[in-house]
Amino acid sequence: MDFGQALTQVKLGKSIKRQVWNGKNQFVYLIKGTDLQRWLHYGFGEYLGEPTITDALAIKTTSNQIQVGWLASQSDMLSNDWEVIE
């Protein structure tokens, strides 16, 4: 599937990866801003002008770390080898 289709799946709560990624168990998923607000006990409008937390893509890396704020490369965006992790 292409990146647009894969991104749609992420928005539906699925995790995705590329077939050509050489790192095992590496995948991308969505972290909802509302979940972060609840976990951090922040962003509920307790004071005037308090910022809210937006949704963010995250990647589970080959070194078993979660990198929040993952950005797709041009190669990632133009490839057709995305798949949903079941």
Side-chain angles (χ1 to χ4, degrees):
M1 85 179 71
D2 67 28
F3 184 64
Q5 294 165 321
L7 193 55
T8 297
Q9 293 300 309
V10 167
K11 291 177 183 179
L12 294 173
K14 307 283 184 170
S15 296
I16 57 170
K17 68 175 184 172
R18 286 196 55 202
Q19 293 172 2
V20 299
W21 279 349
N22 53 2
K24 292 201 178 226
N25 301 318
Q26 185 171 303
F27 58 89
V28 173
Y29 63 99
L30 181 70
I31 298 177
K32 301 288 284 176
T34 52
D35 290 339
L36 283 173
Q37 285 175 203
R38 188 172 54 254
W39 297 330
L40 297 173
H41 304 286
Y42 179 83
F44 295 107
E46 286 96 8
Y47 63 89
L48 184 62
E50 180 183 20
T52 57
I53 301 173
T54 60
D55 296 349
L57 291 176
I59 187 169
K60 191 243 174 227
T61 67
T62 57
S63 58
N64 201 33
Q65 296 178 326
I66 302 298
Q67 177 188 337
V68 179
W70 177 79
L71 296 174
S73 68
Q74 287 189 20
S75 176
D76 290 331
M77 289 185 281
L78 296 172
S79 67
N80 292 313
D81 65 346
W82 286 96
E83 58 189 22
V84 173
I85 298 174
E86 298 300 333

